[in-house]
Amino acid sequence: MPDVKLIVLLRSPVDRAYSHYHHLKRRGVEKLTFEEAINQEGDGIFRKYNNRTYLARGKYVEQLKRWMNFFPKEQILIINSENYYHDPIKGLNQVCQFLDISEWNYKYTKNGSYRYPKMEKHMRERLIQYFKPYNEELEDYLGVKFNWDR
């Protein structure tokens, strides 16, 4: 598929990790607290058998570099999910333009989303610091500022 077009929706890795944790918690897969799960992720056994990849999956630059070894940048659309969800019609039209199809002119209905407790401040700060070098490398690599380190 040499002409395939790929669409990548990137979310703040801190928020993505916390959402991933709560998704597995709701399904009964994750039994630990968020902090315990983050502390244990480094152990490959846990990651392999319990989907504990909260940190690993947020290192977007590593994943994108692998993809870009096979696909040129012009075949990959990268969208900041925070911007997309703030103005979904604009985001959908960006996708339509990328795919060279007619603009989205239908009503957009937002579906409900699962609510979970706010992340503890010390954990948010810890993860912001953890992801900071990966986010900086990603922003340098793509030439895009995501402003996730807040």
Side-chain angles (χ1 to χ4, degrees):
M1 299 186 314
D3 298 323
V4 70
K5 291 189 174 186
L6 305 170
I7 301 169
V8 180
L9 193 62
L10 297 180
R11 183 179 188 185
S12 157
V14 173
D15 296 329
R16 194 220 59 77
Y18 197 53
S19 176
H20 181 186
Y21 166 80
H22 279 284
H23 173 73
L24 294 181
K25 190 86 168 164
R26 277 191 319 275
R27 290 180 43 215
V29 174
E30 182 61 79
K31 305 294 185 203
L32 301 177
T33 68
F34 183 60
E35 187 167 6
E36 291 168 339
I38 292 297
N39 290 342
Q40 290 190 12
E41 180 174 335
D43 186 336
I45 293 170
F46 283 107
R47 188 169 54 242
K48 182 176 179 181
Y49 294 106
N50 289 331
N51 297 318
R52 202 166 282 133
T53 55
Y54 308 122
L55 301 177
R57 290 186 189 193
K59 298 176 187 176
Y60 302 136
V61 69
E62 296 172 357
Q63 300 165 55
L64 287 173
K65 282 181 176 181
R66 282 194 297 271
W67 286 17
M68 290 181 179
N69 283 332
F70 299 99
F71 302 101
K73 275 188 175 182
E74 53 273 359
Q75 285 180 231
I76 302 174
L77 174 63
I78 298 171
I79 299 175
N80 180 335
S81 71
E82 288 83 2
N83 293 343
Y84 177 84
Y85 289 114
H86 175 73
D87 188 349
I89 297 299
K90 182 178 178 183
L92 288 169
N93 282 327
Q94 186 180 7
V95 170
C96 291
Q97 183 178 17
F98 176 70
L99 297 174
D100 198 26
I101 60 176
S102 299
E103 281 196 355
W104 186 268
N105 59 6
Y106 303 97
K107 184 177 178 180
Y108 175 84
T109 304
K110 182 177 180 178
N111 292 330
S113 60
Y114 179 77
R115 302 275 184 221
Y116 40 81
K118 190 173 181 179
M119 187 186 311
E120 294 179 20
K121 189 174 181 177
H122 79 280
M123 284 303 295
R124 176 167 288 284
E125 192 54 43
R126 176 180 167 189
L127 293 186
I128 286 172
Q129 292 308 310
Y130 175 84
F131 284 115
K132 187 173 182 151
Y134 300 104
N135 292 341
E136 288 173 353
E137 185 180 356
L138 175 70
E139 290 174 342
D140 289 344
Y141 183 69
L142 297 176
V144 173
K145 189 79 175 142
F146 288 100
N147 297 314
W148 287 328
D149 297 332
R150 316 180 224 163

